[in-house]
Each structure stands twice: as structure tokens, then as C-alpha cells.
Amino acid sequence: MTPVTQIESALRAALPAAAFRALEPRYLEEPRGRYQGKGGLLVAPSCTEEVAAAVRIAHEAGVPVVPYGGGTGLVGGQIAQEGIEPLILSLERMNKIRAIYPDENVLVAEAGCILQDLHTAVEKENRLFPLSIAAKGSARIGGNLATNAGGLNVLRYGNARDLCLGLEVVMPNGDIWNGLTRLRKDNTGYDLRNLMVGSEGSLGVITAAALKLFPVPASEGTALFVVPSPEAALNLLAMARSHMAEGISAFELMHRQGWDFLRETMPELRLPYDESPEWSVLMDVGLAKGLNPAEALETLFAEAFEAEIVTDGLIAQSEQQRIDLWNIRENIPEGNRRIGSISSHDISVPISRIPEFIREGNAKMAEIGDVRVNCFGHLGDGNLHYNIFPAAGKSRHDYEHLRSAVKSGVHDLVHAYNGSVSAEHGVGRLKVSDLEKYSDPVKLAALRAIKQALDPKGIMNPGVILRA
């Protein structure tokens, strides 16, 4: 018997029968196909007390615990493929919205709530929860917080960490931290909330969160601008801010390669240009009552066109046109997946250095081999998805011998630019060696000390962030 099967009888005595589920393949797989779980025992508690009971039993026996949300993570944090078979703890049954406080602009939700369901629920209260990612239809808020997810609206509203007021967390020994505060100000000691957000299940299991809401903008507008270069895109961002200040919700840079992948893999998608633009920007604005976003975007386009910052553009004239434009950006990750990348990189560099980084990065990749680069992302906050793909007619398997060189080439350059090799996806298991290579040694020592203090048995998602 394995350690995890040895605790099964104790778990069955502590949890209801409904908490036990078959270990389907989806719990052992991740979207990019880089990691494959080796097995384990799956439980899906329905409340915090059941999570605590399961973790307590695992802690006493020294059995690893792998929290599982929506399975959409891109760095292998939800998959244990080495070591002792784990207790896989799915939060999918903890999917209740506990309360909405419209006057406080606060939502209290359990960790298993699907992100899109939260959007729908608060819309009924004329409120906005601005965290938005491509996987919003299946990603769960606990995982979003555990990875400090970014997404499309960070420019205006911040990362998941910035949207969190309080947490309820089951600690590694099974104790429950009741930190589910709705307070905007609380200076009572170390900030455990911010420690848990971004910890990727390595310090505890997030079971519920108090989240910030915002008033829905009185009017919204979307525009697609064709720009000659990333430098022009940055100039457009500066000009847009001078026109609309903090009214800009999203500012997304897209390269021609992303459009071409969509034409190749998703021909049913409606694209506004017959020929893919070399560079383009998708921009979303939300303005206060009395302001007209369409007029604001038209004025911006006219001034930018005159300054030769943009060469063409489309301003959505209906909600359907707005959806069609956003479908381009939101389907780029799926197009990438269907092509199959050699190596994908979620990076950030100082915003003013992005054009220089792209030029130097493209030159380095060309030196390594015959590859295609799809560079796109959240220009307004410095986060690029700099992904490398095989030449047309080849597959990523033809490039396995180059994958390490590609990854190191990109990450070394990011480090030289004082950037980060993990902007919004987390470290997971994929980037543990990168954290060791590029992080400040004092920071690494502090991370290890925190892990040892809170999880001395090392049972919480071992191998994530820090080497097991």
C-alpha cells in the first residue's frame, strides 16, 4: 500500500461519501501537455471543515496534498508527477457565493467558484469584478488567487492580489485561518493574505475570499488600432492616457503571427482584415456618466493618425462588434495551443524597454533556429507572452533538442533587462530552476524559511515554487 491509500480509511471516516470521486484523467493532465500526474487519491470536500479534516489527516501521515482548482494553470502547479502519490484536493464542490455587499463593493465567494460565474452574479447587482482571463469559463477563483492571476484588466484594476481583501485558508496542519475580512484597512501585523495569494498551494489551501467589486462603467468602448511598431504602440498608450487618464481598462499588443495562427487553426473566427496587420493594439475603455467612449476613441484615432502612430483602425459600433474584436485577442492562446509551441514564456520587462527587448529577442531566436515568434500581451503593464513555435510544416517535437536553448535564451535576456520570468502564470513546477537561477539569494532564503515555518513537514504541493 502507498501512504495515500493507507489514509483512505481515515478519510472515509471523516468525510461524507459524496466527497470521494474517481480519479479521472483530467486531474492528472494540464493544458500544455508538459506534465502527467502519477496517480493519488482524489477528494472533493464541500465545505471548509471538510477541507481541514482532509488536510489534518494527510499532515499526520506525512502525505503530500495537491490543491486542484479548474486545472487551467500553465506551469504545472496542479500536477504532481514525482515523489509520493498525493492526496489531490479538488475545490470544485466549494462553489457557493456566500454574500454580495453592493454598498461596500465586496463579494465573498468560495474557492471553487468559476470566474465567469462570479462575473454573472455581480452583474445582477450592477457591479464589476474585473479579473478576466482567457480561461474564465473554467478557471476557479481559488486558483486565480493562488497564482496571483493577471489577465486583461491589470492596467486599470491590478492583479488578483490587488482585488483581494481577505481570505479563509486551511493551513498545512489542518487549522483554519479565519482571515475573511471585508476591511480596506487592517494593519494588525504581518500580511498573511498577501503571503497566501501567489503561494500556489504551497503554504495552505485557500477555501474562500473576500473580493473587491467596482461600479460598472457608465459606458464602454473598444477599438482596434493598427500600429507600425511596438514603439508606436507605447506612444499610443501615452497619448490615450493623456486623453482618458485611468479610463483605459485594457491595452493589448498583438503581432501578425497571432492573427496568422488564428487563420490557420480557427478559420471560422471573424477577422476584420484580409491581411494580418504586422502590429495591432486592442483597447478597451470604460468612462463615467456623461462621457462618450466612441467619440473619445475617434478623437484619439484622429490625433494618433496625424502623428503617424496608427495607420488604420476600427471602433466597435455595437456590442457584437466589440465581442468580435475581443474574440481575436482571447482566442490567441487557443490558436497557439493548436499549433503547439516549442517553449512559451510569460514574462515582464520595464514597459519603456519592451520594443528593444522584442528586437533583441527575435534576433536571438533566429540565431537558435528556424522558428516563428508570437509575441502578444498586456502592453500596459509590461507583461508579454513571448512564445516560440516551429516553422511552418514542422511540429514542436522536431525542436525538442532546442527547447532548453530557447527557454534559456529568452529568460537570460529577460533577466538582463531587469524583468521577471513569471509575470502572471506563477512558478509552479515548470520554473523552479528559473527561480533558483535568477532570484536574489536573500529572497530565496526568506521563501525557504517561510515554507519551513508554516509547512515543516513539506506536505503542501511539494515541488511547487521551491524544490521539494
Side-chain angles (χ1 to χ4, degrees):
M1 296 176 67
T2 62
V4 72
T5 57
Q6 290 174 3
I7 67 170
E8 184 172 355
S9 59
L11 289 167
R12 290 193 179 277
L15 303 177
F20 294 85
R21 299 193 168 187
L23 187 58
E24 300 172 8
R26 65 189 175 99
Y27 296 105
L28 302 175
E29 301 168 348
E30 48 85 30
R32 287 180 175 165
R34 296 286 184 188
Y35 292 87
Q36 178 68 46
K38 62 183 294 184
L41 178 66
L42 175 70
V43 295
S46 64
C47 64
T48 303
E49 290 72 22
E50 291 179 7
V51 174
V55 172
R56 192 174 301 116
I57 290 168
H59 178 263
E60 290 171 356
V63 172
V65 177
V66 176
Y68 189 93
T72 60
L74 298 174
V75 288
Q78 71 274 44
I79 302 296
Q81 64 178 10
E82 297 176 350
I84 300 171
E85 287 189 355
L87 175 66
I88 301 171
L89 203 155
S90 171
L91 281 299
E92 61 194 299
R93 293 179 66 224
M94 289 195 62
N95 56 8
K96 301 180 187 69
I97 293 176
R98 295 186 183 176
I100 301 177
Y101 302 91
D103 292 342
E104 297 182 22
N105 282 320
V106 174
L107 161 74
V108 180
E110 293 181 343
C113 289
I114 290 174
L115 182 56
Q116 182 63 63
D117 293 344
L118 297 185
H119 292 169
T120 302
V122 301
E123 282 171 7
K124 296 174 182 176
E125 303 290 341
N126 197 33
R127 292 295 183 269
L128 170 71
F129 180 58
L131 182 65
S132 183
I133 60 176
K136 61 188 175 185
S138 52
R140 299 178 188 272
I141 190 62
N144 297 148
L145 291 165
T147 56
N148 188 28
L152 302 173
N153 295 323
V154 172
L155 176 62
R156 183 169 184 172
Y157 298 104
N159 291 319
R161 173 176 279 116
D162 302 302
L163 300 173
C164 182
L165 292 169
L167 291 174
E168 177 186 83
V169 178
V170 173
M171 304 300 285
N173 65 354
D175 288 348
I176 299 171
W177 170 46
N178 295 299
L180 207 56
T181 177
R182 310 197 306 271
L183 301 177
R184 307 277 170 156
K185 291 185 175 181
D186 181 4
N187 276 341
T188 53
Y190 301 132
D191 194 338
L192 293 183
R193 173 199 62 194
N194 275 339
L195 185 60
M196 292 297 169
V197 175
S199 65
E200 302 184 48
S202 67
L203 300 178
V205 182
I206 295 172
T207 52
L211 305 166
K212 294 179 186 178
L213 302 180
F214 296 83
V216 175
S219 55
E220 295 177 296
T222 299
L224 178 70
F225 294 139
V226 177
V227 294
S229 66
E231 287 93 341
L234 282 180
N235 291 334
L236 178 63
L237 175 60
M239 185 180 288
R241 280 177 158 159
S242 71
H243 280 243
M244 287 169 273
E246 298 307 310
I248 306 165
S249 301
F251 198 90
E252 297 290 303
L253 180 69
M254 298 181 289
H255 181 245
R256 169 185 49 77
Q257 192 64 73
W259 290 68
D260 289 347
F261 283 168
L262 292 177
R263 293 184 196 280
E264 181 178 345
T265 63
M266 306 173 73
E268 72 280 3
L269 204 64
R270 287 192 280 190
L271 300 178
Y273 296 111
D274 292 333
E275 185 174 336
S276 302
E278 186 68 19
W279 291 101
S280 56
V281 167
L282 184 61
M283 182 176 168
D284 226 25
V285 299
L287 302 182
K289 199 171 184 178
L291 300 176
N292 187 315
E295 291 180 1
L297 289 167
E298 288 167 4
T299 301
L300 174 64
F301 175 79
E303 184 175 322
F305 187 81
E306 179 68 23
E308 298 183 346
I309 292 173
V310 303
T311 59
D312 200 353
L314 295 167
I315 298 173
Q317 301 299 313
S318 67
E319 182 61 22
Q320 186 57 54
Q321 288 183 3
R322 186 170 184 262
I323 291 171
D324 288 345
L325 290 178
W326 270 106
N327 275 341
I328 301 169
R329 170 60 183 87
E330 292 186 337
N331 277 292
I332 286 177
E334 177 60 21
N336 288 348
R337 188 190 69 80
R338 295 185 185 187
I339 294 293
S341 73
I342 302 167
S343 185
S344 297
H345 313 96
D346 163 47
I347 62 170
S348 59
V349 295
I351 295 173
S352 64
R353 302 198 70 187
I354 284 177
E356 182 185 359
F357 171 86
I358 292 173
R359 282 194 299 272
E360 190 171 349
N362 290 354
K364 280 185 175 292
M365 293 304 102
E367 291 174 2
I368 291 175
D370 182 15
V371 299
R372 293 178 290 180
V373 179
N374 186 13
C375 176
F376 67 101
H378 321 300
L379 185 67
D381 57 48
N383 177 195
L384 295 177
H385 300 296
Y386 191 82
N387 300 340
I388 314 304
F389 293 84
K394 295 185 178 181
S395 79
R396 74 181 190 181
H397 303 295
D398 299 322
Y399 289 79
E400 278 300 319
H401 64 294
L402 292 178
R403 183 167 178 262
S404 178
V406 167
K407 180 182 175 183
S408 295
V410 173
H411 285 177
D412 286 350
L413 185 61
V414 169
H415 185 62
Y417 275 72
N418 294 314
S420 170
V421 298
S422 179
E424 64 177 0
H425 292 164
V427 174
R429 291 174 172 81
L430 178 65
K431 298 182 179 180
V432 171
S433 59
D434 293 311
L435 188 68
E436 294 171 343
K437 180 178 181 180
Y438 300 113
S439 280
D440 180 89
V442 174
K443 173 184 175 178
L444 267 179
L447 293 182
R448 290 170 179 145
I450 291 167
K451 173 71 171 177
Q452 178 63 28
L454 295 182
D455 183 20
K457 288 191 174 183
I459 68 163
M460 295 306 306
N461 221 1
V464 162
I465 300 181
L466 299 172
R467 197 172 299 278

